[in-house]
Amino acid sequence: DKKFYTSMKENIQTKIGNYNLYEQIKQSFMSFEKELYYPCVCGLLPIFEGIVVDSKSVKTYKWESIEESLKKKYKIYFNKNNETNLEEYTLRLMSKMLTQTFDFDQIEPNELNRHWLLHGRAERLPTKADCLTLFNIIELVLNIKHENSLNKKQTTEGGLQ
């Protein structure tokens, strides 16, 4: 609904300024609002990678590097049984789906896949739902990072032990 979308948009735009991605996210929102879902998704995928992966220490964007960044930077841990809370499970699923590579001689995945889309191989066009899913996952990562920075700040100021 419109109220949810507006709230999500404001939250993302407020928190993404720390990552020098404000103009990029603004253009993705503009594309979405004009129902241009392909450019919206093509803009959101690198934004997602940019806020999740520390580009100074991670040279490739495979699932393992994203999972490692999540563990180190954001204290999100995934166990082998997938026994995580809903936010962590969602983040893990989306990260893996978006970064998993396939040989192009295989059948195109049903889900949105960064590899197929950005290499010009996808026949499936992104949808409104794909855009909203990516906006939601970006908002989730930003919220987790924001909470972690607040906790870190409180700890260094002697607030939390």
Side-chain angles (χ1 to χ4, degrees), residues 8 12 25 37 40-45 48 51 94 97-98 112 117 126 128-140:
M8 175 187 64
I12 291 172
I25 199 76
Y37 304 130
C40 179
V41 166
C42 289
L44 291 174
L45 290 169
F48 171 74
I51 62 172
M94 285 301 301
M97 180 182 79
L98 292 173
L112 181 66
L117 187 70
K128 180 179 184 177
D130 292 328
C131 295
L132 289 171
T133 299
L134 281 168
F135 281 127
N136 281 324
I137 200 75
I138 287 168
E139 182 181 32
L140 174 61

Side-chain angles (χ1 to χ4, degrees), residues 137-153:
I137 200 75
I138 287 168
E139 182 181 32
L140 174 61
V141 172
L142 290 171
N143 285 340
I144 290 169
K145 290 176 76 169
H146 182 72
E147 287 175 27
N148 283 347
S149 70
L150 290 178
N151 289 339
K152 186 176 183 180
K153 185 177 179 181

Side-chain angles (χ1 to χ4, degrees), residues 23-82:
E23 281 303 314
Q24 293 91 323
I25 199 76
K26 185 172 132 185
Q27 289 182 27
S28 291
F29 279 118
M30 286 172 29
S31 295
F32 178 78
E33 290 162 8
K34 292 178 181 180
E35 299 181 6
L36 300 170
Y37 304 130
Y38 181 81
C40 179
V41 166
C42 289
L44 291 174
L45 290 169
I47 291 170
F48 171 74
E49 290 179 11
I51 62 172
V52 171
V53 178
D54 177 8
S55 61
K56 293 178 182 111
S57 63
V58 176
K59 304 298 180 218
T60 60
Y61 294 113
K62 295 180 180 170
W63 161 244
E64 293 79 14
S65 63
I66 289 182
E67 185 175 20
E68 196 58 35
S69 286
L70 293 170
K71 286 177 184 176
K72 284 182 182 175
K73 291 269 190 186
Y74 319 124
K75 309 294 187 252
I76 297 175
Y77 296 93
F78 306 111
N79 63 34
K80 295 193 187 315
N81 298 325
N82 291 337

Side-chain angles (χ1 to χ4, degrees), residues 96-112:
K96 194 165 191 174
M97 180 182 79
L98 292 173
T99 59
Q100 188 172 12
T101 59
F102 294 89
D103 290 331
F104 293 128
D105 60 355
Q106 294 178 339
I107 297 173
E108 180 180 353
N110 290 328
E111 304 85 16
L112 181 66

Side-chain angles (χ1 to χ4, degrees), residues 76-93:
I76 297 175
Y77 296 93
F78 306 111
N79 63 34
K80 295 193 187 315
N81 298 325
N82 291 337
E83 295 172 2
T84 59
N85 70 37
L86 183 58
E87 287 181 347
E88 292 170 355
Y89 178 73
T90 302
L91 189 57
R92 179 177 196 209
L93 221 58

